[in-house]
Amino acid sequence: MRQDHLISATQLSRPDIEAVLDRAAEIDADPSALQGRHDGAILGLCFFEPSTRTRMSFDTAMKRLGGRTIDMGSVESSSVKKGETLADTMRVLEGYADALVLRHPSEGSAKMATEFVDVPLVNAGDGAGQHPTQTLLDLYTMRQNAGLDDVTVGIMGDLKYGRTVHSLAAALTNFDTRQHFISPESLRLPRGVRYDLHESGAQVREHTALEEVLSELDILYVTRIQRERFPDENEYLKVAGEYQISAEDLEAAKDSLTVMHPLPRVDEIAPDVDQTEHATYFEQAHNGVPVRMALLDMLLSTEGDR
Amino acid sequence: MSDTDRELRVSKIRNGTVIDHLAAGQALNVLALLGIDGSGGESVSVGMNVPSDKLAKKDIVKVEDRELSQSEVDVLAVIAPEATINIVREYDVVEKKRIDRPESVDGVLSCPNRNCITNDDEPIRTRFAVLDDALRCDYCGEIVREEEVATHLDVA
């Protein structure tokens, strides 16, 4: 990877992605291979929004590389509460760490932060924008389970505000995939994502019902429809109910269908799906560590080491 | 009556810039886009719905004692690609500027995405990349169609 920052999946080429995934596979095969490789290096975890998986897997990944992490803690306990700008916070924190991971509720926050720091910065989610490291682990999971070329992928749920969806859809255009987007009318892909897909030559096939495409899919990527996206509770319950899957629903799918979810799930995937061969979401979450180790190793290595 | 006579009615300027052949209704948007609100003390004449051979009805703006730079002129490409810009010195047109589509529009538009970092209280200016028929926020990726641009002019 030539860039020092990872802000959007749109900046990733196929060789960039494959380099990270190959490195992650090496780490997976021999977890001790990179032990101590980044002894003494410090990663700053700057989470302005709650996170469990992303924060903890970055923490674990850095420690497995021999480095350490510093965590700004919750927004309530930091100087952000006193009204400090994100720009100032990041300028200060870059002096404390060799690389920074940022999650922030505003779209474009990570892009802006790169204008104020010189150390490598990784976007761990900017509002409804992008979440490129989730995408790398999604692609790693897809490659292991179904492959990344000549596959049909269905992406379902909140496509409008889902940052994992925006990143994944962009990254998949590097591969020979057919993408189907399944969502309620009100949560279709936003204009900007649509534009990028169009520019990359991808066809956007949209559906309001999973049944229309389920039997064709090799991968089904489910995302959570959030209650706060709907003006009233009844509307939410009605819409969300139509985008939930159970083991029975999946009887119409290919036996080899891989079902993924960035987690946390609420009720969009029924617990009985967990017992089927389709369920891949917990494996997907575990892949966060080797993939983030691979990425951090590449960002922290100097030119000569690459 | 010739077009020149009609322009004379709007008043001829000695030194400054004449922005002519604007689509009717765009004069105030052009002033907003250029950040001209009279606070700089310059004399500004605005003609709206002036009869025109070329456009049927057009708007025209004359700004005295201010010569627009090429980068200021290029910003107009977004809402007034057909406009002509003449620089006037001692009542004579000394330069006709061509509008080139700029690569980006900086600081004059606010991002319509309320959740964009540029709408937080951060020390940055907005920046939009210019696409074929739209602008795109460099920060959040929001796309603004050209017909929507006027409603997002960031004029304080």
Side-chain angles (χ1 to χ4, degrees):
Chain A
M1 201 172 313
R2 305 313 297 173
Q3 299 96 347
D4 285 335
H5 305 299
L6 177 57
I7 303 307
S8 168
T10 56
Q11 78 188 72
L12 296 171
S13 67
R14 182 172 179 139
D16 286 338
I17 293 167
E18 286 176 337
V20 177
L21 303 196
D22 291 347
R23 192 88 171 123
E26 288 167 25
I27 293 167
D28 237 353
D30 180 8
S32 63
L34 296 184
Q35 215 162 26
R37 184 168 159 85
H38 293 285
D39 255 347
I42 293 178
L43 180 68
L45 301 175
C46 318
F47 282 73
F48 292 74
E49 261 189 353
S51 163
T52 307
R53 277 154 297 277
T54 305
R55 185 200 292 247
M56 292 185 74
S57 67
F58 266 113
D59 196 13
T60 304
M62 191 59 184
K63 287 170 178 165
R64 289 240 166 105
L65 290 170
R68 280 173 292 175
T69 58
I70 52 169
D71 192 324
M72 68 170 227
S74 70
V75 167
E76 280 65 34
S77 65
S78 72
S79 58
V80 176
K81 197 72 180 162
K82 298 175 190 160
E84 186 175 52
T85 61
L86 173 63
D88 277 3
T89 306
M90 299 312 283
R91 271 190 283 212
V92 171
L93 295 183
E94 83 155 331
Y96 302 163
D98 301 295
L100 296 168
V101 176
L102 173 67
R103 169 169 293 186
H104 191 276
S106 297
E107 283 99 76
S109 49
K111 171 79 183 281
M112 184 202 77
T114 62
E115 295 175 9
F116 295 92
V117 302
D118 289 325
V119 299
L121 185 137
V122 178
N123 180 8
D126 61 328
Q130 287 272 324
H131 193 355
T133 65
Q134 175 70 42
T135 291
L136 289 168
L137 74 92
D138 292 343
L139 295 173
Y140 184 75
T141 310
M142 287 180 181
R143 188 169 81 167
Q144 281 186 320
N145 287 276
L148 285 171
D149 287 308
D150 194 23
V151 289
T152 302
V153 183
I155 302 180
M156 181 169 85
D158 182 352
L159 311 185
K160 185 172 182 182
Y161 299 101
R163 57 191 170 206
T164 61
V165 171
H166 304 161
S167 286
L168 180 61
L172 283 174
T173 62
N174 287 298
F175 300 90
D176 177 19
T177 55
R178 290 167 294 279
Q179 296 192 60
H180 292 272
F181 297 94
I182 307 129
S183 74
E185 217 34 69
S186 61
L187 295 178
R188 290 167 63 193
L189 288 173
R191 249 193 235 174
V193 175
R194 214 173 268 280
Y195 177 86
D196 286 331
L197 290 174
H198 184 261
E199 283 292 289
S200 65
Q203 254 190 303
V204 178
R205 304 173 187 82
E206 295 176 288
H207 313 269
T208 52
L210 177 62
E211 298 81 65
E212 293 170 23
V213 285
L214 178 60
S215 62
E216 297 172 35
L217 301 180
D218 299 301
I219 296 162
L220 174 60
Y221 191 94
V222 184
T223 63
R224 183 159 55 99
I225 293 181
Q226 291 173 302
R227 195 172 298 252
E228 58 266 31
R229 303 300 182 203
F230 290 85
D232 73 83
E233 178 82 8
N234 285 339
E235 179 72 4
Y236 161 74
L237 290 172
K238 181 169 159 274
V239 169
E242 291 172 26
Y243 298 90
Q244 290 166 356
I245 55 165
S246 65
E248 191 186 342
D249 296 327
L250 294 180
E251 282 169 13
K254 288 182 185 175
D255 289 342
S256 60
L257 174 74
T258 297
V259 175
M260 298 173 62
H261 191 303
L263 305 181
R265 69 169 156 175
V266 181
D267 47 16
E268 54 278 6
I269 299 179
D272 63 5
V273 177
D274 302 355
Q275 316 307 322
T276 69
E277 292 288 312
H278 303 301
T280 315
Y281 25 91
F282 294 114
E283 173 190 331
Q284 181 186 354
H286 296 162
N287 288 335
V289 174
V291 170
R292 290 188 170 109
M293 282 175 76
L295 178 73
L296 288 174
D297 179 43
M298 294 163 85
L299 289 174
L300 289 167
S301 300
T302 56
E303 287 293 316
D305 300 337
R306 282 179 188 168
Chain B
M1 193 185 284
S2 73
D3 199 42
T4 317
D5 291 335
R6 288 198 179 99
E7 282 186 29
L8 280 172
R9 288 185 186 175
V10 184
S11 92
K12 199 159 182 174
I13 62 170
R14 181 171 182 169
N15 295 303
T17 307
V18 177
I19 307 166
D20 201 355
H21 301 111
L22 294 166
Q26 288 289 20
L28 295 180
N29 290 335
V30 163
L31 287 172
L33 199 54
L34 294 171
I36 296 173
D37 58 5
S39 62
E42 64 272 74
S43 295
V44 181
S45 312
V46 175
M48 288 179 161
N49 295 321
V50 179
S52 155
D53 294 338
K54 199 168 154 189
L55 288 167
K57 279 183 177 176
K58 65 173 183 179
D59 282 5
I60 180 168
V61 170
K62 300 185 181 188
V63 186
E64 284 192 63
D65 297 323
R66 176 160 163 191
E67 296 186 4
L68 295 185
S69 68
Q70 190 62 46
S71 62
E72 287 176 302
V73 165
D74 289 345
V75 168
L76 297 179
V78 176
I79 61 166
E82 302 300 319
T84 57
I85 288 101
N86 292 334
I87 304 297
V88 176
R89 286 181 204 149
E90 292 300 326
Y91 302 106
D92 285 330
V93 174
V94 294
E95 188 184 351
K96 288 178 177 290
K97 287 198 188 281
R98 216 189 61 210
I99 296 181
D100 289 323
R101 228 174 143 68
E103 283 182 9
S104 75
V105 173
D106 300 357
V108 290
L109 299 176
S110 58
C111 184
N113 172 13
R114 280 178 301 170
N115 206 39
C116 175
I117 191 72
T118 59
N119 289 318
D120 289 354
D121 196 15
E122 296 291 340
I124 45 168
R125 301 171 78 201
T126 61
R127 191 170 63 234
F128 289 81
V130 178
L131 312 176
D132 284 345
D133 55 358
L135 300 180
R136 185 171 206 189
C137 175
D138 261 4
Y139 291 93
C140 75
E142 181 84 358
I143 288 181
V144 189
R145 293 203 184 95
E146 289 201 347
E147 60 268 26
E148 301 163 340
V149 166
T151 58
H152 299 296
L153 289 172
D154 191 13
V155 279

